Amino acid sequence: MDFSDTPQEAEYRARARDFLDAHKDKLPSLSGSEAARLKKQRIWQAIKADNGYACITWDSEWGGAGGTAMERVIFREEEAGRGVPDAFFGIGLGLCVPTIIKYASDKQKAELVRPAVRGDQIWCQLFSEPAAGSDLAGVRAKAVADGDEWVVSGQKVWTSGAHYSDWGLVITRTDPSKPKHKGLTMFFVAMDSPGIEIRPIHQMSGGVEFNEVFFNDVRIPDAQRLGEIDAGWGVAIYALMNERVQGGKERGIPAGETIRLARSTPVADGTLADDGAFRAAFADWYVRTRGVQLTRYRTLTAMSRGQTPGPEASIGKLVTAFELQEMSRRLVEAQGPFGLIDDRAMAFCEGNVHHDLLHAPGIRIAGGTDEILRNIIAERVLGLPKEPQPDKNVPFSETK
Amino acid sequence: MDFSDTPQEAEYRARARDFLDAHKDKLPSLSGSEAARLKKQRIWQAIKADNGYACITWDSEWGGAGGTAMERVIFREEEAGRGVPDAFFGIGLGLCVPTIIKYASDKQKAELVRPAVRGDQIWCQLFSEPAAGSDLAGVRAKAVADGDEWVVSGQKVWTSGAHYSDWGLVITRTDPSKPKHKGLTMFFVAMDSPGIEIRPIHQMSGGVEFNEVFFNDVRIPDAQRLGEIDAGWGVAIYALMNERVQGGKERGIPAGETIRLARSTPVADGTLADDGAFRAAFADWYVRTRGVQLTRYRTLTAMSRGQTPGPEASIGKLVTAFELQEMSRRLVEAQGPFGLIDDRAMAFCEGNVHHDLLHAPGIRIAGGTDEILRNIIAERVLGLPKEPQPDKNVPFSETK
Amino acid sequence: MNFDFSEDQEMLRKEVRKFLEARCPLTRARKVLDDSEASFDVELWEELVGQGWTALSIPEQFGGLGMSRTDLCVLAEELGRVLAPVPFASTVYILAEALMIAGDGVQKDKLAEIAAGDCIGCIAISEGPGEPSFERIGSRVERGRLTGTKQPVTDGLAATDALVWARDESGTPRLFLVPLEQDGVTREKLDTLDPSRDAARIVFDGAAAEPIGAPWLLDRLLDGAAVLLAFEQVGGADRAMEQAVAYAKERYAFGRPVGSYQAIKHTLADAYVNNQIARSNAYYGIWALDSGSDDLAQAAAAARVAACHAYWFAAREALHAHGGIGFTWEADQHLFYRRALQLDMVIGSPRMWRERLFEQVEAQGEKMKAEAS
Amino acid sequence: MNFDFSEDQEMLRKEVRKFLEARCPLTRARKVLDDSEASFDVELWEELVGQGWTALSIPEQFGGLGMSRTDLCVLAEELGRVLAPVPFASTVYILAEALMIAGDGVQKDKLAEIAAGDCIGCIAISEGPGEPSFERIGSRVERGRLTGTKQPVTDGLAATDALVWARDESGTPRLFLVPLEQDGVTREKLDTLDPSRDAARIVFDGAAAEPIGAPWLLDRLLDGAAVLLAFEQVGGADRAMEQAVAYAKERYAFGRPVGSYQAIKHTLADAYVNNQIARSNAYYGIWALDSGSDDLAQAAAAARVAACHAYWFAAREALHAHGGIGFTWEADQHLFYRRALQLDMVIGSPRMWRERLFEQVEAQGEKMKAEAS
């Protein structure tokens, strides 16, 4: 039980620090327009790729450095500590490209993997649909074979980065007469293909992180099929399993800053930090968010011992999304009526807590709702029985 | 919107007070052995019956006073204010006897109703079984016709007062080849019938409020059948619907006393009553328990306008049982290690809060678990869809 | 006991609901939300005035309809259901109440203006971070002239007249009546968590101000507002829950309506329970307000604590029950989420009101103990 | 980083679990629970001593096995799983620690007695209602003689030696080592919420007492105990949850296993999450304890707050998930419910530890800020 770096880890960290210090002027930040940020991130990604920091745990064959999960986390910790955002390439390198490596042809891999690792090409994931959210297999976008091409029509939704992506992984329904999980097929598609229309989704928090993507008779070569026809569900599961264990910081303001904020918030009798209700709530919030962080270190330890992280990794978002929602409300409300003011220039923490309060509902939904995550823990970790699923063996075309 | 007594109610209350004052020496209390308490309660019940206070809302035909629900509550408030427990007759008069009035023959009613109203005879309810708890229709105790008698064998459980009851309402399975709700038949049975064996259940809280009741080939005349053969589910529903809207006080210590206790509990910096965490928790507890009380007054208002209380009455126990559990834990724990001491002579409030803490788990279960109550609210009040019930149309004998 | 609305009041509710369903769909609130210039829905406001709603609780001698505050609750609940983007609460629950309770002869003349829709009120108590507090108040009136900054002032742009909490010449905080259309008053729009409602920073620089009522008036006004706003909150919470119930019946996942899953159905049952508890506490609050009961402070605090909890829970979980769609700007769920937060904070947060409730219950316990001994 | 138990420790766990499954089924705890005379399971205690468990963390020079406190955690978790009705924590996590940290030459001799099972410890800090407090402590030592009453003292009947918190002649509260088998010590059994564990009222009337350690020793001992007890709590919480999971798979209602209903399955998922969070905080706590980190006070408080919450939640909901049967005396669920409460309060309640945690996090933040500037 050792929480500190091992000598090897310490050495890796020192090297990473040197590397980052040496490239101080190239480090991207959160400021600027999306286009400007993207440009800087691409340059930085290429530098990382050239130095073995882009896909640290991947084989060198794919542009990786053959490193450990712990090394990846160490690098990310150091990067994050210097304000480098974790943006643009996560879905591609975490989910899409590993799927390409597993399912695409050698020629395709040779063409696609390295540009993605270097940030020259960006990938997005086109799985969700209006009627296929938690129940991902409810996909309705259909692909119909036409010679050695497929014609895809339908609507995808919640696609991050569709508007700046070069490639997308798209799941389609190829046989509606089979039960829902059994008539799906996966493709990759060039995002500039004719017939693809991308519309941004305006979120309640004001941001525009996601898109709707419409497929209007989009033609995809059969060569871009991943896996067998009607076997797309397994490909999707493989893709989603590859979502990496994240390093770096939790969302929301850090503990020390939370207390300092409470110290500066007057209440009738002293400051918010003197209020037993706040102190107790803080303590509970602290052990939960800290517990998630520490649990991630346990997972990393398991990974560094060669184990694959299991469904228990689901607890992170389940806990932190809700805690973020409630703690940000608590902090905002403690300001009294003044807390209503949602203006970066006036609100505390540059309005970040207000933003968290309006953003947290989305975190509780995206990437698996609270309910889906609890199901995963209950069924896959605890082995509790599944619920009856009336549409399981019914032809998709006959389901609601 | 008037929270005070109307002139008629005030008059009724004054009369009730006079009556109670005039019988001061006859009022039963919580002290003494069960047998002694039962004896005093029977005497008091007879006095109430003679004066129209036993079954205030019932027709005079059945020994009632034709009064209003509000009058019943007023009488009970006054009675409770003088320390008279609400014991022994509740299940009989609230649930069993109304079912007798609805389903039994005139002769049976003439023989059975008045003795129950006067407290001369006591009734118990024999519905639950080890495999029929929340899913009450899972009854396995079987009744087999034999001439003009039925032979009943099986086990009932959670029967309050079985050991001092004269009569019981018992639901049995008469046709296991029918789906579970459709092969049940209801009877009433003399509790001293040969073959009935009663064993007390030792609760975790130390008390013995319930019994297991074993039926070993107990013979019940067909004349004691209530409703048609195999139509017992409807009779059970009727019986359970008659469970009255309770008057009187909530369980747990009252608000003022809770605060006084907190004032006398030292914490590092002053008393528990100065602790913001306690104050906030108290406030939430207060509005919830008070809210339940006030909701009951709304229900009574609806009843006094001739409406039947609906499933919304389920909220009371759902809220108060859990609040009791958490508030009693909070109060006990705030004592620090001393809170561990569970001894009437040493613990605060004569150990009642400790008792609540050990008793609350049972309240969350008995008479509908939290989950069943939420289902009732969701389905019957909000109209949300039921869950799939795989055994619904399956012969009972083929279910698990 | 008759612990419910009367038949007449239910009739009133029916009319009010019918009117608002026709005239105030959620698109009205959204319009104000989306329009960065708008502070309220002027047209809707004029229609409400036309219906006599601003006049409802004002005595007939001042041009009102002379109805009770319990009648007013019916309006409050219905306005809460439709997220009406108008300065009703500031004007009717607060300014009109202040004038009725404590206005002098001339001040009371404003009641007729309120009834006629010509006067819009606001209350300016907050100056900076933290609950408004006796100790920290910096605004001051000297020789009838007010100096200080108040922010945020809900309905501060729409209002013609403000109640402003400031120190008098002896340093005692009390309320002053301040016409806003005068030199020495500068108003600026503020962005808040609920852009469907109006909020302003108001700078007073020597504005004419006249005292109204004794120093205790503010507490009395906040108690009354807490009760009436509790009805708005219950209305909003019920509507948010109803929307989620309707969605959960229609939306399918894994071959079943999502409302058949206990995670959703039990959460919605909890919302129902919270709303009922809030409603019952609000009923007791309005009885205490209308009957002049000594219990008002306690009843108002209980009504507010229960209503804030219920609305936040309902808005939060109703949004969540809608899944991804609920997180979009186009969906209505965030309107309730925002309004729940707005009503949570507008007259001091639940934190402050829990404290008030505790103090009131303790004080009452002491009083009863003293009486008993 | 290697944030988990080592292979050797996992091996140890395997052995310990195997031993306890064979030797300490829940009937052992129940026996003490049901026997109003018994204070602990003497036979089991002797077996644990025979296994060398009381010697585990004691240095070899004092007759121990010289293993680490992290090794001890493995025992703690397993003892927690089986609700072992023995004075292990009082003796090993507290008395032995006190002697190792602060015992003088002669006092340290007791370590060998602990290793051999001849010495049983207890810590006597509570005197009356409210968390044990610096200000309210009434016990006092004058000229080596202790006077005062302590209640409840966990393992106070079983113990041979007590650590007693009392004022020294200068009035400063500190710990004293007090042999219990002497004149001037009267012990009486107390009924507690968890009768499977020993508790006593101890009256000291001029008992011989010698000081041990500096006044800060108590805080250090409580921090260490918080971490080790957190492992007992995690063990108990996991076991309670596992029982409920097993029951929920087998028990049918409405034609389905109750564990297929989200109300049950999500509650058990929450229990799992709580337990993992408690486990991770406990790991950090033991790392801080064993590595002598400055973070110990904060890590210990976090471990305790998380563990108390997890155990209470798991015990409460595991009982509930069993339905009526869980409420009976014969079922095992109340054993966990009671033990959760016992461990909640035994070294000060979660309320107190939340306060400690807040203070520690704030102090650390200040320190880091000072270092940064």
Side-chain angles (χ1 to χ4, degrees):
Chain A
M1 192 78 75
D2 193 351
F3 196 71
S4 327
D5 285 343
T6 63
Q8 294 87 328
E9 287 163 1
E11 198 194 319
Y12 186 87
R13 191 184 295 277
R15 269 191 290 132
R17 283 179 179 170
D18 288 346
F19 169 75
L20 288 162
D21 289 343
H23 293 84
K24 220 183 295 186
D25 56 327
K26 299 289 186 196
L27 300 183
S29 74
L30 263 175
S31 63
S33 69
E34 186 180 79
R37 282 183 289 123
L38 178 53
K39 197 175 161 192
K40 286 191 90 170
Q41 286 275 8
R42 281 186 197 268
I43 295 169
W44 176 234
Q45 185 72 13
I47 295 173
K48 289 203 290 183
D50 291 341
N51 290 275
Y53 291 118
C55 292
I56 292 168
T57 58
W58 290 17
D59 285 348
S60 57
E61 177 187 2
W62 304 118
T68 67
M70 203 67 84
E71 287 173 352
R72 188 183 62 195
V73 168
I74 288 170
F75 185 80
R76 181 62 204 141
E77 278 176 3
E78 294 299 324
E79 211 186 12
R82 285 160 176 81
V84 178
D86 185 15
F88 299 111
F89 313 115
I91 290 166
L93 300 177
L95 187 153
C96 303
V97 181
T99 310
I100 292 294
I101 292 176
K102 166 112 177 153
Y103 289 98
S105 70
D106 288 347
K107 181 161 173 285
Q108 289 169 331
K109 284 188 259 196
E111 283 169 14
L112 294 169
V113 176
R114 285 189 179 259
V117 171
R118 293 184 56 86
D120 294 336
Q121 291 186 354
I122 298 181
W123 286 71
C124 64
Q125 179 249 86
L126 299 145
F127 292 0
S128 298
E129 297 185 7
S134 291
D135 183 7
L136 194 57
V139 162
R140 294 180 182 184
K142 66 174 183 208
V144 179
D146 181 21
D148 59 357
E149 289 186 328
W150 295 80
V151 181
V152 177
S153 51
Q155 182 191 349
K156 296 290 175 179
V157 76
W158 305 117
T159 311
S160 307
H163 54 297
Y164 53 69
S165 287
D166 304 283
W167 294 100
L169 219 57
V170 59
I171 188 160
T172 62
R173 184 157 307 275
T174 35
D175 188 349
S177 73
K178 290 185 176 162
K180 63 200 286 194
H181 295 84
K182 300 197 173 157
L184 299 168
T185 304
M186 186 77 79
F187 300 93
F188 66 92
V189 60
M191 291 301 287
D192 59 0
S193 305
I196 291 184
E197 187 192 336
I198 297 165
R199 290 187 206 155
I201 297 173
H202 190 179
Q203 294 162 203
M204 65 169 273
S205 52
V208 184
E209 294 173 66
F210 304 101
N211 300 279
E212 295 177 295
V213 180
F214 294 85
F215 282 73
N216 305 308
D217 294 335
V218 176
R219 303 191 80 87
I220 305 180
D222 185 59
Q224 289 177 205
R225 175 162 48 78
L226 297 170
E228 298 302 309
I229 294 172
D230 293 346
W233 182 246
V235 185
I237 296 292
Y238 180 83
L240 294 170
M241 262 181 25
N242 270 289
E243 284 203 275
R244 69 225 153 113
V245 178
Q246 296 208 357
K249 290 201 290 186
E250 300 303 320
R251 274 193 107 99
I253 62 175
E257 204 173 326
T258 303
I259 292 184
R260 279 195 291 282
L261 172 62
R263 276 269 163 251
S264 72
T265 301
V267 299
D269 196 17
T271 76
L272 183 62
D274 303 312
D275 172 24
F278 178 77
R279 295 163 75 94
F282 174 89
D284 288 332
W285 168 82
Y286 178 85
V287 301
R288 291 182 77 74
T289 51
R290 175 76 172 148
V292 165
Q293 216 172 41
L294 294 168
T295 302
R296 191 182 304 129
Y297 288 121
R298 287 171 50 210
T299 305
L300 282 168
T301 297
M303 286 169 72
S304 71
R305 292 178 181 179
Q307 295 161 29
T308 313
E312 62 276 9
S314 302
I315 80 169
K317 190 179 81 80
L318 175 60
V319 172
T320 53
F322 187 76
E323 293 291 334
L324 182 72
Q325 186 169 35
E326 288 300 298
M327 182 51 99
S328 57
R329 177 192 181 223
R330 186 177 284 274
L331 290 172
V332 165
E333 282 192 357
Q335 310 298 314
F338 192 83
L340 273 172
I341 301 173
D342 183 17
D343 177 330
R344 291 201 164 264
M346 292 179 70
F348 60 87
C349 296
E350 295 163 2
N352 287 327
V353 181
H354 287 74
H355 181 259
D356 288 342
L357 179 53
L358 295 177
H359 197 69
I363 310 177
R364 286 181 62 198
I365 294 163
T369 63
D370 293 357
E371 291 71 28
I372 291 295
L373 297 177
R374 287 197 178 92
N375 270 354
I376 289 173
I377 293 166
E379 292 169 10
R380 298 199 215 154
V381 184
L382 303 179
L384 285 165
K386 291 193 173 235
E387 301 200 60
Q389 227 171 289
D391 63 350
K392 199 161 181 190
N393 298 311
V394 176
F396 181 74
S397 52
E398 289 170 25
T399 61
K400 284 208 196 189
Chain B
M1 192 76 76
D2 192 351
F3 197 71
S4 328
D5 286 343
T6 62
Q8 294 87 329
E9 287 162 2
E11 198 194 320
Y12 186 86
R13 192 183 295 276
R15 269 190 290 132
R17 285 179 177 170
D18 288 347
F19 168 75
L20 288 162
D21 289 343
H23 294 84
K24 220 184 295 189
D25 56 326
K26 298 291 185 195
L27 301 184
S29 76
L30 263 174
S31 63
S33 69
E34 185 179 82
R37 282 184 289 122
L38 178 53
K39 195 174 161 193
K40 285 191 91 172
Q41 286 275 8
R42 280 187 198 270
I43 294 169
W44 175 234
Q45 186 72 13
I47 295 172
K48 288 204 289 183
D50 291 342
N51 290 274
Y53 291 117
C55 292
I56 291 168
T57 58
W58 291 16
D59 284 348
S60 56
E61 178 186 0
W62 305 117
T68 67
M70 202 66 84
E71 287 173 353
R72 187 182 64 195
V73 169
I74 288 170
F75 185 81
R76 181 61 203 143
E77 278 175 2
E78 295 299 325
E79 214 185 10
R82 285 161 177 79
V84 177
D86 185 15
F88 298 110
F89 312 115
I91 290 165
L93 300 178
L95 188 153
C96 305
V97 181
T99 310
I100 291 295
I101 292 176
K102 165 111 176 156
Y103 289 98
S105 70
D106 288 346
K107 182 160 172 286
Q108 288 167 331
K109 287 188 257 195
E111 283 169 17
L112 292 170
V113 177
R114 284 187 179 262
V117 171
R118 294 184 56 86
D120 294 336
Q121 292 185 355
I122 298 181
W123 286 71
C124 64
Q125 180 247 89
L126 299 145
F127 291 1
S128 298
E129 296 186 7
S134 289
D135 184 8
L136 193 58
V139 160
R140 293 178 183 185
K142 68 173 182 208
V144 178
D146 182 20
D148 59 357
E149 288 185 329
W150 295 79
V151 182
V152 178
S153 50
Q155 182 193 349
K156 295 292 174 178
V157 76
W158 305 116
T159 311
S160 306
H163 55 296
Y164 53 68
S165 287
D166 304 281
W167 295 98
L169 219 56
V170 58
I171 188 159
T172 63
R173 183 157 308 275
T174 37
D175 188 348
S177 73
K178 290 184 176 164
K180 65 200 288 194
H181 294 84
K182 301 198 172 155
L184 300 168
T185 305
M186 186 76 79
F187 299 93
F188 65 92
V189 60
M191 291 301 289
D192 59 359
S193 305
I196 290 183
E197 186 192 338
I198 297 166
R199 292 187 207 153
I201 296 173
H202 190 179
Q203 295 163 200
M204 66 170 272
S205 52
V208 184
E209 293 172 67
F210 303 102
N211 300 279
E212 295 178 295
V213 180
F214 295 86
F215 282 74
N216 305 309
D217 294 337
V218 175
R219 303 190 81 84
I220 305 180
D222 184 60
Q224 288 176 206
R225 175 163 49 77
L226 297 170
E228 298 303 309
I229 295 172
D230 293 345
W233 182 246
V235 184
I237 294 293
Y238 181 83
L240 293 170
M241 264 183 21
N242 269 290
E243 282 201 275
R244 71 225 153 113
V245 176
Q246 295 207 1
K249 289 202 290 186
E250 300 305 319
R251 275 192 107 98
I253 61 174
E257 205 172 326
T258 302
I259 292 184
R260 280 195 292 280
L261 171 62
R263 276 269 163 249
S264 72
T265 301
V267 298
D269 195 18
T271 76
L272 183 62
D274 302 312
D275 172 25
F278 178 77
R279 294 163 75 94
F282 174 89
D284 288 333
W285 168 82
Y286 178 85
V287 301
R288 291 182 77 75
T289 50
R290 176 74 172 148
V292 165
Q293 215 174 42
L294 293 169
T295 302
R296 191 183 303 129
Y297 289 120
R298 286 170 51 209
T299 306
L300 282 168
T301 297
M303 287 169 71
S304 71
R305 291 177 181 179
Q307 295 161 30
T308 313
E312 63 275 9
S314 303
I315 80 169
K317 189 178 82 79
L318 176 59
V319 171
T320 54
F322 187 75
E323 293 291 335
L324 182 72
Q325 187 168 32
E326 287 301 298
M327 182 50 99
S328 57
R329 177 193 180 223
R330 186 176 285 274
L331 290 171
V332 165
E333 282 192 356
Q335 311 296 314
F338 191 84
L340 274 171
I341 301 173
D342 182 18
D343 177 330
R344 291 200 165 266
M346 291 180 70
F348 61 87
C349 297
E350 295 163 1
N352 286 327
V353 181
H354 286 74
H355 181 260
D356 287 341
L357 180 54
L358 294 176
H359 197 69
I363 311 179
R364 286 182 61 198
I365 295 163
T369 64
D370 293 357
E371 291 72 26
I372 292 293
L373 297 178
R374 286 196 178 93
N375 271 354
I376 289 173
I377 292 166
E379 292 170 10
R380 297 200 215 152
V381 184
L382 302 179
L384 285 164
K386 290 192 173 233
E387 300 200 60
Q389 227 170 289
D391 65 348
K392 200 161 180 189
N393 298 310
V394 176
F396 182 74
S397 51
E398 290 170 23
T399 63
K400 284 211 192 187
Chain C
M1 171 179 306
N2 187 355
F3 195 49
D4 205 343
F5 289 106
S6 67
E7 268 181 47
D8 283 354
Q9 284 157 346
E10 287 305 332
M11 196 91 86
L12 173 65
R13 175 188 309 284
K14 231 169 148 176
E15 277 169 39
V16 169
R17 183 167 299 190
K18 199 173 146 193
F19 177 83
L20 288 172
E21 276 174 3
R23 305 300 309 147
C24 189
L26 294 177
T27 46
R28 302 295 286 248
R30 180 174 292 278
K31 217 176 115 197
V32 177
L33 182 83
D34 281 337
D35 180 348
S36 61
E37 300 301 311
S39 60
F40 72 111
D41 188 327
V42 180
E43 197 184 327
L44 177 65
W45 178 249
E46 284 167 1
E47 292 188 64
L48 305 193
V49 170
Q51 293 290 313
W53 293 356
T54 56
L56 193 93
S57 60
I58 291 173
E60 293 177 45
Q61 74 209 83
F62 300 111
L65 300 175
M67 291 168 75
S68 73
R69 295 194 191 85
T70 310
D71 299 312
L72 192 55
C73 282
V74 174
L75 294 193
E77 184 178 338
E78 298 304 315
L79 290 167
R81 282 182 67 85
V82 299
L83 306 176
V86 288
F88 194 81
S90 301
T91 306
V92 177
Y93 312 160
I94 300 180
L95 180 60
E97 284 284 306
L99 296 169
M100 287 191 277
I101 295 167
D104 62 26
V106 183
Q107 288 167 343
K108 277 201 163 68
D109 288 346
K110 282 218 175 296
L111 287 168
E113 294 176 41
I114 290 175
D118 298 328
C119 170
I120 291 177
C122 67
I123 185 162
I125 45 178
S126 174
E127 299 187 351
E131 305 289 359
S133 140
F134 202 84
E135 286 80 20
R136 288 190 309 281
I137 179 172
S139 301
R140 176 174 289 280
V141 174
E142 270 166 19
R143 286 185 226 104
R145 295 284 160 181
L146 168 64
T147 312
T149 299
K150 293 288 179 178
Q151 55 186 350
V153 181
T154 293
D155 298 318
L157 295 179
T160 56
D161 296 84
L163 290 166
V164 182
W165 201 34
R167 294 186 192 279
D168 63 18
E169 290 186 18
S170 75
T172 307
R174 63 196 312 160
L175 290 172
F176 291 84
L177 194 58
V178 185
L180 292 172
E181 280 147 25
Q182 61 167 309
D183 289 345
V185 176
T186 320
R187 297 189 261 181
E188 194 185 333
K189 189 171 165 62
L190 287 177
D191 290 333
T192 71
L193 288 168
D194 183 7
S196 73
R197 294 287 284 114
D198 171 18
R201 176 194 292 121
I202 310 189
V203 180
F204 299 99
D205 185 12
E210 51 186 56
I212 177 168
W216 55 256
L217 177 62
L218 177 64
D219 273 339
R220 170 59 187 73
L221 286 181
L222 292 181
D223 286 342
V227 172
L228 287 151
L229 289 175
F231 280 91
E232 287 201 4
Q233 290 170 302
V234 167
D238 267 352
R239 181 83 179 277
M241 175 191 76
E242 289 163 19
Q243 287 192 336
V245 166
Y247 184 79
K249 287 180 188 173
E250 282 167 19
R251 170 85 182 179
Y252 274 66
F254 306 104
R256 289 162 48 187
V258 299
S260 72
Y261 293 97
Q262 287 185 338
I264 300 289
K265 79 201 280 186
H266 286 189
T267 300
L268 293 174
D270 285 342
Y272 175 83
V273 168
N274 292 334
N275 293 359
Q276 288 302 313
I277 281 179
R279 179 177 291 282
S280 298
N281 276 292
Y283 282 19
Y284 188 69
I286 193 62
W287 171 77
L289 182 66
D290 236 357
S291 68
S293 162
D294 281 353
D295 251 12
L296 174 61
Q298 177 175 332
R304 181 154 175 78
V305 169
C308 287
H309 174 67
Y311 202 0
W312 170 245
F313 183 91
R316 185 186 78 196
E317 296 305 324
L319 191 158
H320 185 68
H322 278 75
I325 196 79
F327 186 58
T328 62
W329 189 267
E330 282 68 30
D332 289 333
Q333 280 61 54
H334 71 111
L335 304 184
F336 291 92
Y337 192 87
R338 293 171 184 279
R339 186 60 62 84
L341 290 167
Q342 201 272 342
L343 290 171
D344 247 10
M345 286 179 256
V346 63
I347 54 165
S349 79
R351 212 198 72 79
M352 177 182 113
W353 286 88
R354 284 195 188 93
E355 279 292 327
R356 279 171 89 111
L357 178 57
F358 187 92
E359 283 162 18
Q360 290 297 329
V361 178
E362 178 162 34
Q364 200 188 42
E366 291 308 309
K367 208 178 102 194
M368 282 172 63
K369 208 176 148 193
E371 280 168 8
S373 66
Chain D
M1 170 178 307
N2 188 354
F3 196 49
D4 205 344
F5 289 105
S6 68
E7 267 181 46
D8 283 354
Q9 284 158 346
E10 287 305 331
M11 197 92 85
L12 173 66
R13 177 190 307 285
K14 232 169 147 175
E15 278 170 37
V16 170
R17 184 168 299 189
K18 199 173 147 195
F19 177 84
L20 288 173
E21 275 175 4
R23 306 301 307 149
C24 189
L26 294 176
T27 46
R28 302 296 285 250
R30 179 174 292 281
K31 218 177 114 197
V32 177
L33 181 83
D34 280 337
D35 181 347
S36 61
E37 300 302 311
S39 59
F40 71 111
D41 187 326
V42 180
E43 198 184 323
L44 177 65
W45 178 248
E46 284 167 1
E47 294 188 63
L48 305 193
V49 170
Q51 293 291 311
W53 294 356
T54 56
L56 193 93
S57 60
I58 291 173
E60 293 176 42
Q61 74 207 85
F62 301 110
L65 302 174
M67 291 168 73
S68 73
R69 295 194 190 86
T70 309
D71 299 311
L72 191 56
C73 283
V74 174
L75 295 193
E77 185 178 337
E78 297 304 316
L79 290 167
R81 283 183 66 85
V82 300
L83 304 177
V86 288
F88 195 80
S90 301
T91 305
V92 178
Y93 313 159
I94 299 180
L95 179 60
E97 284 284 309
L99 296 170
M100 289 191 276
I101 295 166
D104 62 27
V106 183
Q107 288 167 345
K108 277 202 163 67
D109 288 347
K110 282 219 175 292
L111 287 168
E113 294 177 40
I114 289 176
D118 298 329
C119 171
I120 291 177
C122 67
I123 184 162
I125 46 177
S126 173
E127 300 189 350
E131 305 289 359
S133 141
F134 202 84
E135 286 80 20
R136 287 191 310 280
I137 180 172
S139 302
R140 172 175 293 276
V141 173
E142 269 166 18
R143 286 184 224 102
R145 295 284 161 182
L146 169 64
T147 313
T149 299
K150 293 288 179 180
Q151 55 184 353
V153 182
T154 293
D155 298 317
L157 294 179
T160 57
D161 295 84
L163 290 166
V164 182
W165 201 34
R167 293 184 193 281
D168 64 16
E169 291 187 17
S170 76
T172 307
R174 64 194 314 158
L175 289 172
F176 291 84
L177 193 58
V178 184
L180 291 172
E181 279 147 26
Q182 62 167 311
D183 289 346
V185 175
T186 320
R187 298 190 260 180
E188 193 186 332
K189 189 172 165 61
L190 286 177
D191 291 333
T192 72
L193 287 167
D194 182 7
S196 73
R197 295 288 284 112
D198 172 19
R201 175 194 292 122
I202 311 188
V203 180
F204 299 98
D205 186 10
E210 51 187 56
I212 177 167
W216 55 256
L217 178 62
L218 177 64
D219 272 338
R220 169 61 187 72
L221 287 181
L222 292 181
D223 285 342
V227 172
L228 287 151
L229 288 175
F231 280 91
E232 288 202 4
Q233 290 170 302
V234 167
D238 266 351
R239 181 85 180 278
M241 176 192 75
E242 289 162 19
Q243 288 192 335
V245 166
Y247 184 79
K249 288 179 188 171
E250 282 166 18
R251 170 84 182 180
Y252 273 67
F254 307 104
R256 288 163 49 187
V258 298
S260 72
Y261 292 97
Q262 288 185 337
I264 300 289
K265 79 200 282 186
H266 286 189
T267 300
L268 293 173
D270 286 341
Y272 174 83
V273 168
N274 292 335
N275 292 0
Q276 289 301 312
I277 281 179
R279 178 177 291 281
S280 299
N281 276 291
Y283 282 18
Y284 189 70
I286 193 62
W287 171 76
L289 182 66
D290 236 358
S291 67
S293 162
D294 281 354
D295 251 13
L296 175 61
Q298 178 176 331
R304 180 153 176 78
V305 169
C308 287
H309 174 67
Y311 203 178
W312 170 245
F313 183 90
R316 185 187 78 196
E317 295 306 324
L319 192 158
H320 185 68
H322 279 76
I325 196 80
F327 187 59
T328 62
W329 189 267
E330 283 67 30
D332 288 332
Q333 281 60 55
H334 70 112
L335 304 184
F336 291 93
Y337 191 88
R338 292 171 185 280
R339 185 60 62 85
L341 290 167
Q342 201 271 342
L343 290 171
D344 246 10
M345 285 179 258
V346 65
I347 55 164
S349 78
R351 212 198 71 80
M352 179 181 110
W353 286 88
R354 283 195 188 93
E355 280 292 327
R356 279 171 91 112
L357 178 57
F358 187 93
E359 283 162 18
Q360 291 297 331
V361 178
E362 179 161 33
Q364 202 189 41
E366 291 308 309
K367 209 177 101 193
M368 284 173 60
K369 210 178 148 192
E371 281 168 7
S373 67

